Coordinates of all heavy atoms in Angstrom, one line a residue:
G4 N 0.8 -1.2 0.0 CA 0.0 0.0 0.0 C 0.8 1.3 0.0 O 2.1 1.2 -0.2
Q5 N 0.2 2.3 0.2 CA 0.8 3.6 0.2 C 1.4 4.0 1.5 O 2.1 5.0 1.6 CB -0.3 4.7 -0.2 CG -0.8 4.6 -1.6 CD 0.3 4.8 -2.6 OE1 1.1 5.7 -2.5 NE2 0.3 4.0 -3.7
G6 N 1.1 3.2 2.6 CA 1.7 3.6 3.9 C 0.7 4.5 4.6 O -0.4 4.7 4.2
T7 N 1.2 5.0 5.8 CA 0.4 5.9 6.6 C 0.9 7.3 6.5 O 2.1 7.5 6.6 CB 0.5 5.4 8.1 OG1 0.0 4.1 8.2 CG2 -0.3 6.3 9.0
R8 N 0.1 8.2 6.2 CA 0.5 9.6 6.0 C 0.8 10.2 7.4 O 0.1 10.0 8.4 CB -0.7 10.4 5.4 CG -0.3 11.8 5.1 CD -1.5 12.5 4.5 NE -1.2 13.9 4.2 CZ -0.8 14.3 3.0 NH1 -0.6 13.5 2.0 NH2 -0.5 15.6 2.9
V9 N 2.0 10.8 7.5 CA 2.5 11.3 8.8 C 2.8 12.8 8.6 O 3.4 13.2 7.6 CB 3.7 10.6 9.2 CG1 4.3 11.2 10.5 CG2 3.5 9.1 9.4
E10 N 2.3 13.7 9.5 CA 2.7 15.1 9.5 C 3.8 15.3 10.5 O 3.6 14.8 11.7 CB 1.5 16.0 9.8 CG 0.5 16.2 8.7 CD -0.5 17.3 9.1 OE1 -0.4 17.9 10.2 OE2 -1.3 17.5 8.2
I11 N 4.8 16.0 10.2 CA 5.9 16.2 11.1 C 6.1 17.7 11.3 O 6.3 18.5 10.3 CB 7.3 15.6 10.5 CG1 7.1 14.2 10.2 CG2 8.4 15.9 11.5 CD1 8.2 13.6 9.3
H12 N 6.0 18.1 12.5 CA 6.1 19.5 12.9 C 7.4 19.8 13.6 O 7.7 19.1 14.6 CB 4.9 20.0 13.8 CG 3.6 19.8 13.1 ND1 3.0 20.9 12.5 CD2 2.8 18.8 12.9 CE1 1.9 20.5 11.9 NE2 1.7 19.2 12.2
P13 N 8.2 20.7 13.0 CA 9.6 20.9 13.5 C 9.6 21.4 15.0 O 8.6 21.9 15.5 CB 10.2 21.9 12.6 CG 9.0 22.6 11.9 CD 7.9 21.6 11.9
L14 N 10.7 21.2 15.6 CA 10.9 21.6 17.0 C 10.6 23.1 17.1 O 11.0 24.0 16.3 CB 12.4 21.4 17.4 CG 12.7 21.6 18.8 CD1 12.0 20.6 19.7 CD2 14.2 21.5 19.0
N15 N 9.9 23.4 18.2 CA 9.5 24.8 18.6 C 10.9 25.5 18.9 O 11.5 25.1 19.8 CB 8.6 24.8 19.8 CG 8.2 26.2 20.2 OD1 8.9 27.2 19.8 ND2 7.2 26.3 21.0
Q16 N 11.2 26.5 18.2 CA 12.5 27.2 18.3 C 12.4 28.5 19.1 O 13.3 29.3 19.1 CB 13.1 27.4 17.0 CG 13.5 26.2 16.3 CD 14.2 26.4 15.0 OE1 15.1 27.3 14.9 NE2 13.9 25.6 14.0
S17 N 11.3 28.7 19.8 CA 11.0 30.0 20.5 C 12.1 30.2 21.6 O 12.3 31.4 21.9 CB 9.6 30.1 21.1 OG 9.4 29.1 22.0
H18 N 12.7 29.2 22.1 CA 13.7 29.4 23.1 C 15.1 29.4 22.6 O 16.1 29.5 23.3 CB 13.6 28.2 24.2 CG 12.3 28.2 24.9 ND1 11.6 29.3 25.2 CD2 11.6 27.2 25.3 CE1 10.5 29.0 25.9 NE2 10.5 27.7 25.9
V19 N 15.3 29.3 21.3 CA 16.6 29.4 20.6 C 16.9 30.8 20.3 O 16.0 31.6 19.8 CB 16.6 28.6 19.3 CG1 17.9 28.7 18.5 CG2 16.2 27.1 19.5
P20 N 18.1 31.3 20.6 CA 18.4 32.7 20.3 C 18.2 33.0 18.9 O 18.4 32.2 18.0 CB 19.9 32.8 20.7 CG 20.2 31.7 21.6 CD 19.2 30.6 21.3
R21 N 17.7 34.2 18.6 CA 17.2 34.6 17.3 C 18.2 34.3 16.2 O 17.8 33.8 15.1 CB 16.8 36.1 17.3 CG 16.4 36.6 16.0 CD 15.1 36.7 15.6 NE 13.9 37.2 16.1 CZ 12.8 36.8 15.6 NH1 12.8 35.9 14.6 NH2 11.7 37.3 16.0
P22 N 19.5 34.6 16.3 CA 20.4 34.4 15.2 C 20.6 32.9 14.8 O 21.1 32.6 13.8 CB 21.7 35.0 15.6 CG 21.6 35.3 17.0 CD 20.2 35.3 17.4
H23 N 20.2 32.0 15.8 CA 20.4 30.6 15.5 C 19.1 29.9 15.1 O 19.2 28.7 14.9 CB 21.0 29.9 16.8 CG 22.3 30.5 17.2 ND1 23.5 30.4 16.4 CD2 22.6 31.3 18.2 CE1 24.4 31.0 17.0 NE2 24.0 31.6 18.1
Q24 N 18.0 30.6 15.1 CA 16.7 29.9 14.7 C 16.8 29.7 13.2 O 17.3 30.4 12.4 CB 15.6 30.8 15.0 CG 15.3 31.0 16.5 CD 14.1 31.9 16.8 OE1 13.4 32.3 15.9 NE2 13.8 32.1 18.0
R25 N 16.1 28.6 12.8 CA 16.0 28.2 11.4 C 14.5 28.2 11.0 O 13.6 27.9 11.9 CB 16.5 26.8 11.1 CG 18.0 26.7 11.3 CD 18.5 25.4 10.8 NE 18.2 24.4 11.8 CZ 18.4 23.1 11.6 NH1 19.0 22.7 10.5 NH2 18.1 22.2 12.6
T26 N 14.2 28.6 9.8 CA 12.8 28.6 9.3 C 12.5 27.2 8.8 O 13.2 26.7 7.8 CB 12.6 29.6 8.2 OG1 12.9 30.9 8.7 CG2 11.1 29.5 7.7
L27 N 11.6 26.4 9.5 CA 11.3 25.1 9.1 C 9.8 25.0 9.0 O 9.1 25.5 9.8 CB 11.8 24.1 10.2 CG 13.3 24.1 10.4 CD1 13.6 23.2 11.6 CD2 14.1 23.6 9.2
Q28 N 9.4 24.3 7.9 CA 7.9 24.1 7.7 C 7.6 22.7 8.2 O 8.4 21.8 8.3 CB 7.6 24.2 6.2 CG 8.0 25.6 5.6 CD 7.2 26.7 6.3 OE1 6.0 26.6 6.5 NE2 7.9 27.8 6.6
H29 N 6.3 22.5 8.4 CA 5.9 21.1 8.7 C 5.9 20.3 7.4 O 5.8 20.9 6.3 CB 4.5 21.0 9.4 CG 3.3 21.0 8.4 ND1 2.8 22.2 7.9 CD2 2.6 20.0 7.9 CE1 1.8 21.9 7.1 NE2 1.7 20.6 7.1
R30 N 6.2 19.0 7.5 CA 6.3 18.2 6.3 C 5.4 17.0 6.4 O 4.9 16.6 7.5 CB 7.8 17.6 6.3 CG 8.9 18.6 6.1 CD 9.0 19.1 4.7 NE 9.2 18.0 3.7 CZ 10.4 17.6 3.3 NH1 11.5 18.0 3.8 NH2 10.4 16.6 2.5
T31 N 5.1 16.4 5.3 CA 4.3 15.2 5.3 C 5.1 14.1 4.5 O 5.8 14.4 3.6 CB 2.9 15.3 4.7 OG1 3.1 15.8 3.3 CG2 2.1 16.4 5.4
L32 N 4.9 12.9 4.9 CA 5.4 11.7 4.2 C 4.6 10.5 4.5 O 3.8 10.5 5.5 CB 6.9 11.5 4.6 CG 7.2 10.9 5.9 CD1 8.2 9.8 5.8 CD2 7.8 12.0 6.8
N33 N 4.7 9.5 3.7 CA 4.1 8.2 3.9 C 5.1 7.2 4.5 O 6.1 7.0 3.8 CB 3.4 7.7 2.6 CG 2.2 8.5 2.2 OD1 1.6 9.2 3.0 ND2 1.8 8.4 1.0
V34 N 4.8 6.7 5.6 CA 5.6 5.7 6.2 C 5.0 4.3 6.0 O 3.9 4.1 6.2 CB 5.8 5.9 7.8 CG1 6.6 4.8 8.4 CG2 6.3 7.3 8.0
R35 N 5.8 3.4 5.4 CA 5.4 2.1 5.0 C 5.8 1.0 5.9 O 5.2 0.0 6.0 CB 5.8 1.8 3.6 CG 5.2 2.6 2.5 CD 5.6 2.2 1.1 NE 4.9 3.0 0.1 CZ 5.4 4.2 -0.3 NH1 6.6 4.6 0.1 NH2 4.8 4.9 -1.2
H36 N 7.0 1.3 6.6 CA 7.5 0.2 7.5 C 7.5 0.7 8.9 O 8.3 1.5 9.3 CB 9.0 -0.1 7.0 CG 9.1 -0.5 5.6 ND1 8.6 -1.7 5.1 CD2 9.5 0.2 4.5 CE1 8.8 -1.7 3.8 NE2 9.3 -0.6 3.4
W37 N 6.6 0.1 9.7 CA 6.4 0.5 11.1 C 6.9 -0.5 12.1 O 7.0 -0.2 13.3 CB 4.9 0.7 11.3 CG 4.3 1.9 10.7 CD1 3.7 2.0 9.5 CD2 4.4 3.2 11.1 NE1 3.4 3.2 9.2 CE2 3.8 4.1 10.2 CE3 4.9 3.8 12.3 CZ2 3.7 5.4 10.3 CZ3 4.8 5.2 12.4 CH2 4.2 6.0 11.5
N38 N 7.3 -1.7 11.7 CA 7.6 -2.7 12.7 C 8.6 -2.3 13.7 O 8.4 -2.5 14.9 CB 8.0 -4.0 12.0 CG 6.9 -4.6 11.2 OD1 5.7 -4.3 11.4 ND2 7.3 -5.5 10.3
R39 N 9.8 -1.8 13.3 CA 10.8 -1.4 14.2 C 10.4 -0.2 15.1 O 10.7 -0.2 16.3 CB 12.1 -1.1 13.5 CG 12.7 -2.4 12.9 CD 14.1 -2.2 12.3 NE 14.5 -0.8 11.9 CZ 15.6 -0.2 12.1 NH1 16.5 -0.9 12.9 NH2 15.9 1.0 11.7
I40 N 9.7 0.7 14.5 CA 9.2 1.9 15.3 C 8.2 1.4 16.4 O 8.4 1.8 17.6 CB 8.5 2.9 14.3 CG1 9.6 3.5 13.4 CG2 7.8 4.0 15.1 CD1 9.0 4.3 12.3
I41 N 7.3 0.6 16.1 CA 6.3 0.1 17.0 C 7.0 -0.7 18.1 O 6.7 -0.6 19.3 CB 5.1 -0.6 16.4 CG1 4.3 0.4 15.5 CG2 4.3 -1.3 17.4 CD1 3.3 -0.2 14.6
D42 N 7.8 -1.6 17.7 CA 8.5 -2.5 18.6 C 9.3 -1.7 19.7 O 9.3 -1.9 20.9 CB 9.4 -3.5 17.9 CG 10.0 -4.5 18.8 OD1 9.2 -5.2 19.5 OD2 11.3 -4.6 18.8
A43 N 10.1 -0.7 19.2 CA 10.9 0.2 20.1 C 10.0 1.0 21.0 O 10.2 1.1 22.2 CB 11.7 1.1 19.3
W44 N 8.9 1.5 20.5 CA 7.9 2.3 21.3 C 7.3 1.4 22.4 O 7.2 1.8 23.5 CB 6.9 2.9 20.4 CG 5.9 3.9 21.0 CD1 6.0 4.4 22.3 CD2 4.8 4.5 20.4 NE1 5.0 5.3 22.5 CE2 4.2 5.4 21.4 CE3 4.3 4.4 19.2 CZ2 3.1 6.1 21.1 CZ3 3.2 5.2 18.9 CH2 2.6 6.0 19.8
T45 N 6.9 0.2 22.0 CA 6.3 -0.8 22.9 C 7.2 -1.1 24.1 O 6.8 -1.2 25.2 CB 5.9 -2.1 22.2 OG1 5.0 -1.7 21.1 CG2 5.3 -3.1 23.1
H46 N 8.5 -1.2 23.8 CA 9.5 -1.6 24.8 C 10.2 -0.4 25.5 O 11.1 -0.5 26.2 CB 10.5 -2.5 24.2 CG 10.0 -3.8 23.8 ND1 9.6 -4.1 22.5 CD2 9.7 -4.9 24.6 CE1 9.1 -5.3 22.5 NE2 9.2 -5.9 23.7
T47 N 9.6 0.8 25.2 CA 10.2 2.1 25.7 C 11.7 2.1 25.5 O 12.5 2.5 26.4 CB 9.8 2.2 27.2 OG1 8.5 1.8 27.4 CG2 10.0 3.7 27.7
D48 N 12.1 1.7 24.4 CA 13.6 1.7 24.0 C 13.8 3.0 23.2 O 13.7 3.0 22.0 CB 13.9 0.5 23.3 CG 15.4 0.3 23.0 OD1 16.1 1.4 23.1 OD2 15.8 -0.8 22.7
T49 N 14.2 4.1 23.9 CA 14.3 5.3 23.1 C 15.5 5.3 22.1 O 15.3 6.0 21.1 CB 14.5 6.5 24.1 OG1 15.7 6.2 24.9 CG2 13.3 6.7 25.0
Q50 N 16.5 4.6 22.4 CA 17.6 4.5 21.4 C 17.2 3.8 20.1 O 17.4 4.2 19.0 CB 18.9 3.9 22.0 CG 20.0 3.9 21.0 CD 20.5 5.3 20.6 OE1 20.7 6.1 21.5 NE2 20.6 5.5 19.3
A51 N 16.5 2.7 20.3 CA 16.0 1.9 19.2 C 14.9 2.7 18.4 O 14.8 2.7 17.2 CB 15.4 0.6 19.7
L52 N 14.1 3.5 19.2 CA 13.1 4.3 18.5 C 13.7 5.4 17.7 O 13.3 5.6 16.6 CB 12.1 4.9 19.6 CG 11.0 5.8 19.1 CD1 10.1 5.0 18.1 CD2 10.2 6.3 20.2
D53 N 14.7 6.0 18.2 CA 15.5 7.0 17.5 C 16.1 6.4 16.2 O 16.0 7.0 15.1 CB 16.6 7.6 18.4 CG 17.3 8.8 17.7 OD1 16.6 9.7 17.3 OD2 18.5 8.8 17.7
N54 N 16.7 5.3 16.4 CA 17.3 4.6 15.2 C 16.3 4.2 14.1 O 16.5 4.4 13.0 CB 18.1 3.4 15.6 CG 19.4 3.7 16.4 OD1 19.9 4.8 16.3 ND2 19.8 2.8 17.2
A55 N 15.2 3.7 14.6 CA 14.1 3.3 13.7 C 13.5 4.5 13.0 O 13.3 4.5 11.8 CB 13.0 2.5 14.4
W56 N 13.3 5.6 13.7 CA 12.8 6.8 13.1 C 13.7 7.3 12.0 O 13.3 7.6 10.9 CB 12.5 7.9 14.1 CG 12.2 9.2 13.6 CD1 12.9 10.3 13.5 CD2 11.0 9.5 12.9 NE1 12.3 11.3 12.9 CE2 11.1 10.9 12.5 CE3 9.8 8.8 12.6 CZ2 10.0 11.5 11.8 CZ3 8.8 9.5 11.9 CH2 8.9 10.8 11.5
I57 N 15.0 7.4 12.3 CA 16.0 7.9 11.4 C 16.1 7.0 10.1 O 16.0 7.4 9.0 CB 17.3 8.1 12.0 CG1 17.3 9.2 13.1 CG2 18.4 8.5 11.0 CD1 16.8 10.5 12.6
N58 N 16.2 5.7 10.4 CA 16.4 4.7 9.3 C 15.2 4.4 8.5 O 15.3 4.1 7.3 CB 17.1 3.5 9.8 CG 18.5 3.8 10.4 OD1 19.2 4.5 9.8 ND2 18.8 3.1 11.5
D59 N 14.0 4.4 9.1 CA 12.8 3.9 8.4 C 11.9 5.0 8.0 O 11.0 4.8 7.2 CB 12.0 2.9 9.3 CG 12.8 1.7 9.6 OD1 13.8 1.4 8.9 OD2 12.5 1.0 10.6
A60 N 12.0 6.2 8.5 CA 11.1 7.2 8.1 C 11.8 8.5 7.7 O 11.6 9.0 6.6 CB 10.1 7.5 9.3
A61 N 12.6 9.1 8.6 CA 13.1 10.4 8.3 C 14.0 10.5 7.0 O 14.0 11.6 6.4 CB 13.9 10.9 9.5
T62 N 14.6 9.5 6.7 CA 15.5 9.5 5.5 C 14.7 9.8 4.2 O 15.2 10.2 3.2 CB 16.3 8.2 5.3 OG1 15.4 7.1 5.3 CG2 17.3 8.1 6.4
H63 N 13.4 9.5 4.3 CA 12.5 9.8 3.1 C 12.1 11.2 3.0 O 11.4 11.6 2.1 CB 11.2 8.9 3.2 CG 11.5 7.4 3.2 ND1 12.0 6.7 2.1 CD2 11.5 6.5 4.2 CE1 12.2 5.5 2.5 NE2 11.9 5.3 3.7
L64 N 12.7 12.1 3.8 CA 12.4 13.5 3.8 C 13.4 14.2 2.8 O 13.3 15.4 2.6 CB 12.5 14.2 5.1 CG 11.5 13.8 6.1 CD1 11.8 14.3 7.5 CD2 10.1 14.4 5.7
G65 N 14.3 13.4 2.2 CA 15.2 14.0 1.2 C 16.4 14.6 1.9 O 16.7 14.3 3.0
S66 N 17.0 15.6 1.3 CA 18.2 16.2 1.8 C 18.0 17.0 3.1 O 19.0 17.3 3.8 CB 18.8 17.1 0.7 OG 17.9 18.2 0.4
S67 N 16.8 17.3 3.4 CA 16.5 18.1 4.7 C 16.2 17.2 5.8 O 15.7 17.7 6.9 CB 15.4 19.1 4.4 OG 14.2 18.5 4.1
W68 N 16.4 15.9 5.8 CA 15.9 15.0 6.8 C 16.5 15.4 8.2 O 15.9 15.2 9.2 CB 16.3 13.6 6.5 CG 17.7 13.2 6.6 CD1 18.6 13.3 5.5 CD2 18.4 12.7 7.7 NE1 19.8 12.9 5.9 CE2 19.8 12.6 7.3 CE3 18.1 12.5 9.0 CZ2 20.7 12.1 8.1 CZ3 19.1 12.0 9.9 CH2 20.4 11.9 9.4
G69 N 17.8 15.9 8.2 CA 18.4 16.2 9.5 C 17.7 17.4 10.2 O 17.9 17.5 11.4
Q70 N 16.9 18.2 9.6 CA 16.2 19.2 10.2 C 15.0 18.7 11.0 O 14.4 19.4 11.8 CB 15.6 20.2 9.2 CG 16.7 20.9 8.4 CD 16.2 21.8 7.3 OE1 15.0 21.8 7.0 NE2 17.0 22.5 6.7
Y71 N 14.7 17.4 10.9 CA 13.6 16.8 11.6 C 14.0 15.7 12.5 O 13.2 14.8 12.9 CB 12.5 16.3 10.6 CG 12.0 17.5 9.7 CD1 12.7 17.9 8.6 CD2 11.0 18.3 10.2 CE1 12.2 19.0 7.8 CE2 10.6 19.4 9.5 CZ 11.2 19.7 8.3 OH 10.8 20.8 7.6
D72 N 15.3 15.8 13.0 CA 15.7 14.8 14.0 C 14.9 15.0 15.3 O 14.6 14.1 16.0 CB 17.2 15.0 14.3 CG 18.1 14.4 13.3 OD1 17.6 13.6 12.4 OD2 19.3 14.7 13.3
Y73 N 14.7 16.3 15.6 CA 13.9 16.6 16.9 C 12.7 17.4 16.4 O 12.8 18.4 15.7 CB 14.8 17.5 17.8 CG 16.1 16.8 18.2 CD1 17.3 17.0 17.5 CD2 16.1 15.8 19.2 CE1 18.4 16.4 17.9 CE2 17.2 15.1 19.5 CZ 18.4 15.4 18.9 OH 19.5 14.8 19.2
V74 N 11.6 16.9 16.8 CA 10.3 17.5 16.4 C 9.4 17.8 17.6 O 9.6 17.2 18.7 CB 9.6 16.6 15.4 CG1 10.4 16.4 14.1 CG2 9.2 15.3 16.0
T75 N 8.5 18.7 17.4 CA 7.5 19.1 18.4 C 6.4 18.0 18.4 O 6.0 17.5 19.5 CB 6.9 20.5 18.2 OG1 8.0 21.4 18.2 CG2 6.0 20.9 19.3
T76 N 5.8 17.7 17.3 CA 4.7 16.8 17.2 C 4.8 16.0 15.9 O 5.3 16.4 14.9 CB 3.3 17.4 17.3 OG1 3.2 18.3 16.2 CG2 3.1 18.2 18.6
I77 N 4.2 14.8 16.0 CA 4.0 13.9 14.8 C 2.6 13.5 14.8 O 2.1 13.0 15.8 CB 4.9 12.7 14.8 CG1 6.4 13.1 14.8 CG2 4.6 11.8 13.6 CD1 7.4 12.0 15.0
G78 N 1.9 13.8 13.7 CA 0.4 13.4 13.6 C 0.3 12.3 12.6 O 0.9 12.3 11.5
F79 N -0.6 11.4 12.9 CA -0.9 10.3 12.0 C -2.3 10.4 11.4 O -3.2 10.7 12.2 CB -0.8 8.9 12.7 CG 0.6 8.7 13.4 CD1 0.8 9.2 14.7 CD2 1.6 8.1 12.7 CE1 2.1 9.0 15.2 CE2 2.8 7.9 13.2 CZ 3.1 8.3 14.5
A80 N -2.4 10.1 10.1 CA -3.8 10.1 9.5 C -4.0 8.8 8.9 O -3.2 8.2 8.3 CB -3.8 11.2 8.4
A81 N -5.2 8.3 9.2 CA -5.6 7.0 8.6 C -6.4 7.1 7.4 O -7.1 8.1 7.2 CB -6.3 6.1 9.7

């Protein structure tokens, strides 16, 4: 299938000093492989969750994937 549509909202930068803030927009992508993400979340394994997010989802954001390592919210649409 097409996967699950996910909205990614970048980290709130209101506490970052003005010269260091970046302009980031929310992004959407379709995630097709959830097994490692769900397994890590179920076991409260934050390192595995971080690895699964980066390797299975965030890399599909293209060259700007590093801007979404830390996010404020992630929304799922079915």
